[in-house]
Amino acid sequence: MSLLGTGILKGLGVTLKHFIQTYAEDFKYIGKKAGIEPRPLRRQNPANHGMVTVEYPREHMVMPENFRYIPFLVKDSATGEDKCTSCGICAKVCPPQCIWIVRTEDPVTKRPVPAPKEFHIDTSVCMNCGFCAEFCPFDAIKMDHNYEITSMSNRQTELVFDKDRLMMPDTYHAGIHPADWARELEDKKADEAKKKAAAEAKVAADAKKAAAAATGASAAATKTAPPPKPPAPPAQ
Amino acid sequence: MAEATTTVPPAAKTAARAEKAEKKPVVTLATLTPEMASLQQHFGADLIQPAPYEGVLITDPARLTEVTNFLHDELHLESLTSATAVDFIKEGYIELVYHAQHITGGAPLCFKTRVSRKDADTVGLPSLTPIYPGVEFQEREIYDLYGVRFNGHPDLRRILLWEGFNGYPMRKDWHEAYYAQDTKPYDTRWPAGNHKLDEERVPWADNVNYPPNFNPAEYTRNPDEGLYDTMYKEAPEQGPTDTPYQNTGIKTDELIVNMGPQHPSTHGVLRMVVKLDGETITDLKLVLGYLHRNHEKIAERNTWLHNIPYTDRLDYITGMPNELGYVLGVEKLLKIKPTERADYLRVIMCELTRVASHFWSIGFLLNDLGAFYTPALYFITEREFVMDLFDEITGSRMMNNYMRFGGVARDVTPEQLDKIRVLVNERFPRAIDEMERLLSDNEIVRMRTIGVGYLSAERCVAYSVTGPVLRASGVPYDLRRADPYSLYDRFDFDVPVLYGGDVYDRYRVRVLEMRQSLRILEQALAQIEQTKVGDIQAGKKAYIHRVPAGEVYSRVETPKGELGFYMISDGGQNAYRYHVRSASFINLGALKEMTVGMKVADAVVILGSLDIVLGEVDR
Amino acid sequence: MAEAETNLPGTSAVEIKNDPRVPAELNNNVFITTLDKIYNWGRKRSMWPMLFGLACCAIEMICTAAARFDLARFGWELMRPSPRQADLMIVSGTVTKKMLPQIVRLYNQMPQPRYVIAMGACATGGGPFKEGYNVVSGIDKFLPVDVYIPGCPPRPEALMHGFIKLQEKIEKQSIRTVPWYQPGGDDVVPVPMLGPDVVDLRRTAEIAEKTRA
């Protein structure tokens, strides 16, 4: 150890440096308003030093596509129907078992219809793990980016989300998950192309059945397959 | 208890499940390693038998001490890593499972013994605390959760729950108030999942489980029963001549002070009961369990997949290594191997977590020293960049849920890899340099930490302490080298060891470890370029895993020390037994020896230097 | 209570008429709007949360107070370890039965006015650990909760959003109706007891009745 007190002075130098660095940004961007990246992005950039504060209610951090909070259900805006088929996979993979689904029954035949009659997610139990979105074979449930869901009153009525509360149009989904949406569209195209090819083959009815099964299998296969292009991994 | 079992699964399903359970594969017995064979040779094949799947079985629990002495003295298994129990309800016994190991490395030796369920809490079995003092807390945990009495244990009280709690909750026939069904997924959720809150489903609309004829007005038992007994008893009458600290001769009153569970310095909800002579600590006891959230009980109900996000919440600062430990164990049972790229991603994430965790712990160590928040703020800022990355790659800042059996959840993009490179090559080395400039030579830090909280290498090993605390006492034991897992045998890195055994050296070891982590990261980031992009999952991604029957003890080196998962599969969708050997919990066992003789203010610092996280301590 | 109160059009101001608490010569002449505003403005900008972390959410709470999110911008930065100096309790994490008596005791030690934020799924309704034998399914069974923030854990921004919501709630409170100036407004929650399970002392008679074999 050298002279007593030099260690403290050295440390104070570090704090002084930090103090000065908080103003570095102001000087750097003096007079420059246009052309600089938005402040939250700048402050999240590890290459920058100095201020890191993102002033929340005024400016928001850019949510990455993969970010997950509470799940929501996707509504197909073309048909106006929900994509959910009430297969129950999300309810099974949910670790704290907070998804409750009532399957619709056909009123005449009493057979199950691929649509949920009721769909509840208890957000006061949900652990935001994202398994439901990851394992949904129909891209019907996705993880929301909206974290501003504070409740002020009775949690048992307000924080148990029902089907209406969970339902979001697919345009919303496309907006927050662009890469995932692009993958979905591609999948859809591939599916249609396959169906077309199958139709063109003009096989008998039983052969068609096999084709349907094949599309089903391929849909599952694309879930596990790696994304074709590296820029953005699918958030599935 | 009777009130709890309201929902019974449909009879048909239970029958189907029972049928499936009956088709169990034949239990394979463990093959004996040379060490086990020598043990068998010494004690005879009657006493030492190969146990199912793994380890040896000591048939006579009364001779446990004798066998363990042999293990410790002759086979030189210096450290008892893990001790736990398994309730085999059908067979009618509770099996005690111990893992002992050489401090020089290699796989641990597993030995088991059995005690019948009926006389577990009356007859019991001998305690191993005289041989391995580190087992004290673990035996108390077994007593608490399984009701196994350990004869000769110095302080056998409940540890995670409180005195007077009704029953032994980890036993398979004990059901909590919200008990719905033995295993998940619950049948009530689909296809007729009419939402019903647990509070409405369970009678009394409350989360309680009272025995019959319980009258709260007449109940008098103290939940802290027995806590202060020994502390008062040991009060020295004629001056503390044999205690490790020196009394100055002034007659002082002794005080018992509770620190916590709400105390800013206890890193969560830990309670330290200290006996003070002036400001000097003469005795210390810990009260745990304020964050005991039944991880193991819930995990035994979950499917294998369900447990991955739960492991994040063990040590909530280091989610990634927790997941890795669990996933590696299940992969061992499933006999699958992750892809190369997935392996590299795992290593990268774990090492980033290590850097972030050490930043956090050093920041809060300084907080405990009285440098209120300035260093912590700087280091949390650095950690935020790791959190941003995790947010981007995995989807969550802390609860990553990233690892899967045979791979990881998502691939990284080249841009994200570049971001990690910026952190590893530019930001973090500078931040660590700055940290050293700020702290390492600071006279106040040195005066407050050098020589404080000393624990010798021998005592560390005896207390089964792991992690930076062990390495700061001069024992070069790091699981990444001692029993390599994942890809750690491919990287060139050192295991930092210092010999001071005090708070300062623990801080220094952490700093050095961060630098080594950056070294590993540099290599991993270079090598990951050779792997195939997008190849992140071995086999097909599934959500139901039928794990072959067997048992496994898988362990990883988290920033806190050795994290072990002991799991038994009975061939179904759920773990039959799932035990977490957590580093923080066992490291706490050595706290008393470090603190006695120190001042109160130092106790806070020593606790900070252990770097515990209550989520892992209490589980 | 005031005999007649009229809201002046276009403002939130309330005119006091024939209120027995107001001196007679001032009746019909008093507007208490400004006082309410100042009172609430002062309160909402200087909340002192209690430094009190329970579990995972506490880490996010610390991150909220740290440089990236900087709670100090709201005037809420002074985290007091002592309940006597705090007026906001952030229940940040899983509430276990063993910890419950301490939490209720801490709440009782806080001076009025006091607020409770249930941060995260666990404090709100038990969260992923709800089924556990040592977990209280939501702190609102024992304490009056003002704001619930679901999420596991909530992002720091979500916690700040909760704070802002609480500020809105404070803004709406009137000095005349707030419970702590009413007779008997300083309610003390009975501290639960640890028995065979946690015992809610408000319901001892009921428990004794139901457990009778």
Side-chain angles (χ1 to χ4, degrees):
Chain A
M1 223 194 324
S2 52
L3 192 64
L4 193 72
T6 45
I8 294 176
L9 284 179
K10 246 190 338 185
L12 285 174
V14 174
T15 49
L16 182 68
K17 189 186 131 209
H18 271 268
F19 175 70
I20 293 169
Q21 263 183 351
T22 53
Y23 294 102
E25 207 181 47
D26 299 341
F27 290 115
K28 198 174 165 191
Y29 295 106
I30 264 180
K32 283 184 230 164
K33 283 272 180 254
I36 55 172
E37 53 179 340
R39 210 159 69 158
L41 272 184
R42 206 162 71 218
R43 296 202 160 164
Q44 279 184 273
N45 187 347
N48 285 350
H49 289 268
M51 287 282 266
V52 289
T53 309
V54 177
E55 298 180 8
Y56 159 64
R58 246 178 338 124
E59 56 194 26
H60 292 243
M61 263 163 73
V62 184
M63 284 299 118
E65 175 166 348
N66 285 337
F67 175 66
R68 44 175 211 259
Y69 212 64
I70 303 289
F72 68 91
L73 293 172
V74 184
K75 186 159 74 178
D76 197 337
S77 48
T79 59
E81 279 176 14
D82 47 348
K83 281 186 170 182
C84 177
T85 61
S86 75
C87 67
I89 287 177
C90 51
K92 279 175 204 151
V93 296
C94 177
Q97 297 282 297
C98 70
I99 301 181
W100 302 68
I101 307 170
V102 181
R103 200 164 48 186
T104 317
E105 272 184 7
D106 194 302
V108 189
T109 58
K110 298 279 174 213
R111 282 218 193 114
V113 176
K117 191 169 157 202
E118 276 174 50
F119 200 107
H120 282 105
I121 293 181
D122 191 343
T123 57
S124 70
V125 173
C126 175
M127 69 198 295
N128 311 158
C129 67
F131 274 152
C132 47
E134 189 172 326
F135 288 101
C136 177
F138 304 101
D139 287 315
I141 189 165
K142 294 285 167 194
M143 300 306 279
D144 204 345
H145 286 186
N146 178 20
Y147 45 77
E148 296 173 340
I149 48 169
T150 306
S151 152
M152 302 282 288
S153 59
N154 188 351
R155 65 166 167 99
Q156 291 177 0
T157 53
E158 223 177 84
L159 288 182
V160 180
F161 287 6
D162 61 2
K163 202 171 128 188
D164 295 338
R165 176 76 173 72
L166 288 168
M167 206 64 86
M168 292 282 186
D170 56 3
T171 46
Y172 176 76
H173 161 52
I176 59 170
H177 304 123
D180 190 29
W181 179 246
R183 179 198 55 81
E184 266 179 47
L185 288 183
E186 241 167 61
D187 282 2
K188 217 177 180 181
K189 242 185 231 164
D191 267 11
E192 271 164 17
K194 228 174 235 173
K195 262 184 201 161
K196 220 178 186 182
E200 274 165 11
K202 281 183 187 159
V203 209
D206 51 343
K208 257 183 201 168
K209 241 183 231 167
T215 45
S218 73
T222 43
K223 290 286 159 305
T224 53
K229 277 170 211 150
Q236 51 106 349
Chain B
M1 250 177 268
E3 278 91 352
T5 54
T6 47
T7 320
V8 182
K13 283 209 170 169
T14 346
R17 264 180 208 171
E19 207 172 277
K20 263 177 208 162
E22 269 167 31
K23 278 186 210 156
K24 259 200 226 168
V26 189
V27 173
T28 47
L29 292 181
T31 44
L32 294 183
T33 60
E35 269 180 344
M36 294 177 189
S38 68
L39 188 71
Q40 196 179 34
Q41 211 176 358
H42 188 266
F43 286 101
D46 276 349
L47 185 66
I48 307 292
Q49 290 172 359
Y53 304 120
E54 197 192 341
V56 291
L57 178 72
I58 301 163
T59 48
D60 182 10
R63 295 182 66 189
L64 182 64
T65 321
E66 193 187 329
V67 177
T68 318
N69 259 326
F70 181 80
L71 287 173
H72 184 270
D73 298 344
E74 305 296 324
L75 296 182
H76 303 291
L77 294 154
E78 299 97 340
S79 164
L80 192 80
T81 315
S82 144
T84 186
V86 191
D87 180 15
F88 287 101
I89 186 165
K90 262 188 229 150
E91 291 84 348
Y93 55 78
I94 290 174
E95 191 170 83
L96 279 291
V97 184
Y98 302 91
H99 287 86
Q101 66 179 10
H102 297 284
I103 207 68
T104 46
L109 186 146
C110 167
F111 59 100
K112 305 170 177 177
T113 186
R114 286 168 185 171
V115 57
S116 96
R117 290 181 96 243
K118 261 180 248 153
D119 37 288
D121 57 345
T122 49
V123 179
L125 70 172
S127 164
L128 295 188
T129 38
I131 308 159
Y132 297 111
V135 85
E136 181 185 338
F137 277 12
Q138 303 188 57
E139 282 184 350
R140 276 180 69 187
E141 184 192 327
I142 297 168
Y143 166 70
D144 188 357
L145 304 180
Y146 281 94
V148 179
R149 177 160 294 281
F150 291 94
N151 304 316
H153 189 283
D155 186 22
L156 196 64
R157 290 177 297 117
R158 285 190 179 255
I159 185 165
L160 297 177
L161 296 160
W162 58 90
E163 292 298 319
F165 185 83
N166 181 27
Y168 304 113
M170 280 302 288
R171 289 196 178 189
K172 290 279 179 190
D173 53 355
W174 194 94
H175 293 151
E176 56 268 68
Y178 286 162
Y179 173 83
Q181 205 171 302
D182 269 343
T183 56
K184 286 178 184 175
Y186 295 150
D187 299 331
T188 47
R189 301 297 194 264
W190 179 87
N194 289 303
H195 178 260
K196 203 172 188 187
L197 286 170
D198 278 345
E199 289 93 323
E200 289 164 16
R201 176 174 61 80
V202 175
W204 316 22
D206 217 334
N207 186 5
V208 284
N209 210 342
Y210 301 122
N213 273 331
F214 168 68
N215 187 356
E218 288 162 16
Y219 188 82
T220 51
R221 210 162 162 197
N222 181 2
D224 283 339
E225 207 171 79
L227 170 64
Y228 303 110
D229 290 3
T230 50
M231 298 187 95
Y232 282 123
K233 221 183 282 167
E234 283 167 12
E237 293 280 317
Q238 66 284 19
T241 46
D242 51 345
T243 42
Y245 75 101
Q246 290 300 309
N247 195 318
T248 47
I250 304 164
K251 177 92 181 88
T252 45
D253 277 345
E254 291 202 318
L255 268 183
I256 289 186
V257 177
N258 275 284
M259 290 172 72
Q262 192 265 331
H263 192 278
S265 72
T266 52
H267 291 235
V269 282
L270 175 76
R271 180 167 151 211
M272 290 199 279
V273 185
V274 288
K275 191 160 81 173
L276 299 177
D277 179 8
E279 266 198 65
T280 312
I281 293 174
T282 58
D283 197 1
L284 175 133
K285 268 195 188 182
L286 291 169
V287 183
L288 308 175
Y290 291 102
L291 194 52
H292 176 49
R293 39 189 184 182
N294 331 122
H295 186 89
E296 291 179 9
K297 184 93 179 170
I298 293 173
E300 285 172 19
R301 193 170 297 142
N302 285 348
T303 66
W304 294 99
L305 185 78
H306 286 167
N307 275 338
I308 299 173
Y310 274 98
T311 55
D312 281 329
R313 284 150 180 85
L314 272 173
D315 174 352
Y316 30 79
I317 295 176
T318 64
M320 290 287 189
N322 299 349
E323 286 174 24
L324 180 63
Y326 174 65
V327 165
L328 283 177
V330 179
E331 275 168 5
K332 231 183 252 175
L333 285 171
L334 283 168
K335 295 183 184 70
I336 53 173
K337 265 188 86 68
T339 62
E340 186 104 337
R341 192 174 174 86
D343 250 344
Y344 275 110
L345 284 174
R346 287 176 177 186
V347 170
I348 290 172
M349 297 302 162
C350 285
E351 292 310 312
L352 278 175
T353 312
R354 193 180 312 274
V355 175
S357 166
H358 283 346
F359 266 130
W360 184 272
S361 71
I362 293 173
F364 278 86
L365 173 68
L366 265 290
N367 239 13
D368 294 340
L369 277 166
F372 190 67
Y373 240 142
T374 304
L377 270 186
Y378 293 169
F379 306 148
I380 292 173
T381 305
E382 303 302 323
R383 178 180 174 268
E384 279 300 321
F385 290 103
V386 180
M387 295 295 108
D388 280 350
L389 254 170
F390 284 172
D391 211 356
E392 209 177 310
I393 296 170
T394 72
S396 184
R397 287 159 53 87
M398 283 158 60
M399 308 306 174
N400 311 109
N401 192 14
Y402 186 59
M403 316 259 173
R404 297 288 179 273
F405 306 132
V408 292
R410 292 186 188 87
D411 201 0
V412 292
T413 62
E415 290 83 31
Q416 287 163 345
L417 279 179
D418 282 345
K419 250 188 199 172
I420 304 177
R421 281 194 189 101
V422 171
L423 282 180
V424 169
N425 297 332
E426 309 200 358
R427 186 156 189 123
F428 284 162
R430 283 181 198 168
I432 298 169
D433 285 350
E434 204 176 82
M435 173 196 276
E436 290 230 67
R437 261 208 314 283
L438 182 63
L439 306 174
S440 293
D441 292 338
N442 188 310
E443 283 83 2
I444 304 173
V445 172
R446 293 175 71 101
M447 282 176 203
R448 282 293 308 277
T449 54
I450 292 178
V452 171
Y454 174 73
L455 196 65
S456 68
E458 291 76 32
R459 296 309 287 163
C460 268
V461 173
Y463 277 116
S464 318
V465 168
T466 47
V469 185
L470 178 67
R471 291 191 284 276
S473 289
V475 182
Y477 184 80
D478 184 325
L479 276 175
R480 291 174 293 174
R481 276 267 185 268
D483 191 7
Y485 55 91
S486 194
L487 295 182
Y488 281 105
D489 45 359
R490 289 191 198 180
F491 301 115
D492 180 24
F493 68 100
D494 302 329
V495 177
V497 179
L498 293 174
Y499 298 89
D502 55 7
V503 175
Y504 186 71
D505 272 5
R506 282 172 212 145
Y507 150 72
R508 287 280 302 152
V509 160
R510 292 207 170 94
V511 175
L512 296 173
E513 262 180 34
M514 286 161 83
R515 294 193 191 278
Q516 296 304 323
S517 287
L518 294 184
R519 247 175 97 185
I520 297 173
L521 277 167
E522 268 170 35
Q523 296 165 45
L525 286 168
Q527 290 171 20
I528 198 173
E529 293 297 335
Q530 276 121 48
T531 57
K532 202 174 138 222
V533 175
D535 184 24
I536 51 163
Q537 177 73 42
K540 203 167 167 285
K541 198 169 189 169
Y543 60 90
I544 288 182
H545 300 87
R546 292 222 172 270
V547 175
E551 69 176 66
V552 68
Y553 180 67
S554 102
R555 48 189 193 156
V556 292
E557 182 82 22
T558 72
K560 312 283 192 282
E562 174 181 334
L563 176 76
F565 287 90
Y566 176 71
M567 292 178 282
I568 298 184
S569 168
D570 58 358
Q573 288 183 36
N574 321 76
Y576 184 79
R577 175 77 179 114
Y578 168 101
H579 172 68
V580 183
R581 181 263 187 231
S582 69
S584 301
F585 178 61
I586 290 159
N587 287 4
L588 269 183
L591 184 67
K592 181 178 170 181
E593 190 153 326
M594 286 185 225
T595 18
V596 168
M598 298 278 161
K599 304 272 188 242
V600 189
D602 290 335
V604 171
V605 180
I606 294 165
L607 184 70
S609 77
L610 278 182
D611 187 18
I612 54 155
V613 169
L614 265 293
E616 201 188 45
V617 173
D618 295 340
R619 283 150 290 149
Chain C
M1 272 293 113
E3 190 185 82
E5 290 163 7
T6 44
N7 277 313
L8 298 190
T11 67
S12 62
V14 179
E15 192 183 354
I16 301 289
K17 285 177 181 168
N18 306 328
D19 192 313
R21 288 170 300 175
V22 181
E25 65 272 20
L26 288 178
N27 252 333
N28 304 327
N29 287 318
V30 176
F31 296 89
I32 59 164
T33 173
T34 16
L35 191 57
D36 259 354
K37 265 194 185 151
I38 286 198
Y39 180 65
N40 289 336
W41 175 81
R43 287 193 310 141
K44 79 174 190 190
R45 303 275 175 192
S46 65
M47 282 297 232
W48 286 9
M50 192 157 77
L51 183 60
F52 165 63
L54 285 178
C56 335
C57 289
I59 306 296
E60 288 293 60
M61 186 176 76
I62 295 166
C63 288
T64 317
R68 170 60 67 71
F69 302 99
D70 198 5
L71 204 56
R73 293 179 292 120
F74 296 85
W76 302 52
E77 80 273 35
L78 207 59
M79 295 241 182
R80 303 310 297 175
S82 162
R84 300 283 184 206
Q85 302 165 343
D87 36 24
L88 169 69
M89 179 188 251
I90 306 171
V91 185
S92 54
T94 317
V95 182
T96 59
K97 290 178 182 172
K98 195 169 180 181
M99 189 64 193
L100 182 65
Q102 274 81 351
I103 293 175
V104 175
R105 191 168 295 141
L106 286 169
Y107 175 79
N108 286 337
Q109 285 173 352
M110 281 162 61
Q112 292 269 28
R114 53 193 175 198
Y115 298 91
V116 177
I117 288 182
M119 180 188 183
C122 291
T124 304
F129 299 96
K130 183 171 185 167
E131 60 201 281
Y133 49 85
N134 192 25
V135 176
V136 178
S137 48
I139 188 66
D140 57 350
K141 291 201 170 140
F142 293 89
L143 300 182
V145 175
D146 296 288
V147 175
Y148 299 92
I149 309 171
C152 189
R155 284 184 71 84
E157 290 105 312
L159 177 61
M160 283 196 276
H161 185 255
F163 276 133
I164 294 166
K165 283 275 172 204
L166 183 62
Q167 285 188 334
E168 283 170 17
K169 179 173 180 164
I170 294 171
E171 249 166 37
K172 281 182 199 142
Q173 285 179 320
S174 166
I175 198 165
R176 291 175 309 142
T177 54
V178 286
W180 49 91
Y181 293 137
Q182 310 292 333
D186 195 21
D187 53 332
V188 172
V189 183
V191 178
M193 186 179 85
L194 291 178
D197 207 306
V198 77
V199 182
D200 188 349
L201 289 179
R202 294 169 294 191
R203 301 173 55 196
T204 40
E206 192 188 340
I207 294 164
E209 182 60 36
K210 293 219 171 171
T211 45
R212 190 163 297 146

